[in-house]
Amino acid sequence: MGKKVDPRDFLLNTDYEMDKIVYFIKGSLTEGQSENIPHKLGFTPLVFGFFAFNSDMSDPRTLPFQQITTDNTIAFTLFANSSVVQIGYGNYADNPPPAYYCIYAFEPSDSRSKVGATSKYAKDFVLNTDYNYCKLYEKGIVNGDVTITHNLGYNPQVLAWREDSNGLVSPIESILRDDPFTNNPSWVRVTNSEVNFKNTGKVHYRIYYDEA
């Protein structure tokens, strides 16, 4: 019998499902500006992305973002509903710079919609095996306090999005890595055998074979 393949040993392995990006947009915002961008999809997309203060994206930060110091507060919000992607930028510094963003999205696991081609972004999406392509272990939706057992023996990478009662979806900013002592009333916690959802309401999730 051959040796069992460990997906962590590969940057790309087509034996394992990979996520498919169904939406992409980039742009810029000035301080205090927000936008509602029509996405024209037949579902509420699972949005994520990053922003930067340099136009070449050399100083990226993940979305959504919040940084509070004694001198300043910087916040970047990101939401989506069935018709628009909502993005906003706040920065209370003197003469705050513009912010540049790139937003991507996945189709939720309960959608069966027909998705348009993204070939017009071919110059932006180039398969390059110098980079890792996450191998999908499981995706789905939970509601309430739920434990998913994966038994991988290590902490896998996890992405999650909260959906509120109005259908507004936003990435969950922080996912705890095997930290049972954190006094947080609402969290997604990852251990080497489970993913635990506590007081999160409805959540779309993706668990990957790739190690955190």
Side-chain angles (χ1 to χ4, degrees):
M1 181 180 294
K3 181 181 177 181
K4 184 179 179 180
V5 171
D6 187 337
R8 293 175 295 170
D9 293 337
F10 296 83
L11 296 177
L12 174 67
N13 189 325
T14 54
D15 288 340
Y16 298 90
E17 183 182 356
M18 293 186 298
D19 275 316
K20 300 172 182 64
I21 292 172
V22 298
Y23 178 81
F24 170 72
I25 192 167
K26 58 184 178 180
S28 64
L29 294 174
T30 57
E31 195 284 323
Q33 184 181 3
S34 62
E35 289 186 350
N36 289 332
I37 308 167
H39 55 67
K40 300 179 182 179
L41 298 168
F43 50 84
T44 299
L46 305 180
V47 288
F48 62 100
F50 61 94
F51 79 97
F53 295 120
N54 296 327
S55 59
D56 63 358
M57 298 295 184
S58 59
D59 59 331
R61 299 161 173 82
T62 57
L63 292 171
F65 178 86
Q66 185 178 68
Q67 182 182 74
I68 301 174
T69 68
T70 57
D71 300 319
N72 191 23
T73 296
I74 301 173
F76 221 112
T77 58
L78 178 63
F79 299 92
N81 62 24
S82 59
S83 58
V84 300
V85 173
Q86 303 175 358
I87 189 169
Y89 167 46
N91 188 335
Y92 296 99
D94 294 333
N95 300 313
Y100 305 88
Y101 64 83
C102 289
I103 298 172
Y104 307 84
F106 298 140
E107 184 179 14
S109 60
D110 60 345
S111 170
R112 299 295 181 269
S113 299
K114 184 177 180 180
V115 179
T118 57
S119 57
K120 63 181 178 179
Y121 299 116
K123 291 182 180 179
D124 298 289
F125 298 107
V126 177
L127 191 67
N128 186 336
T129 52
D130 286 342
Y131 301 96
N132 181 59
Y133 290 83
C134 292
K135 280 69 68 179
L136 193 60
Y137 171 81
E138 182 177 317
K139 61 184 176 181
I141 300 171
V142 296
N143 207 329
D145 294 357
V146 175
T147 293
I148 296 174
T149 301
H150 60 75
N151 287 326
L152 290 172
Y154 55 86
N155 288 5
Q157 295 181 22
V158 175
L159 294 177
W161 296 259
R162 182 179 285 106
E163 181 175 343
D164 69 15
S165 58
N166 296 315
L168 200 65
V169 171
S170 182
I172 294 177
E173 299 175 51
S174 179
I175 294 178
L176 307 179
R177 304 294 182 187
D178 199 8
D179 183 5
F181 304 107
T182 300
N183 184 22
N184 191 328
S186 174
W187 40 257
V188 179
R189 190 184 70 179
V190 181
T191 75
N192 62 8
S193 60
E194 297 175 341
V195 178
N196 308 120
F197 300 85
K198 180 70 173 178
N199 294 330
T200 53
K202 184 176 181 180
V203 171
H204 300 259
Y205 71 88
R206 275 163 155 78
I207 303 171
Y208 299 90
Y209 284 100
D210 303 84
E211 192 167 3

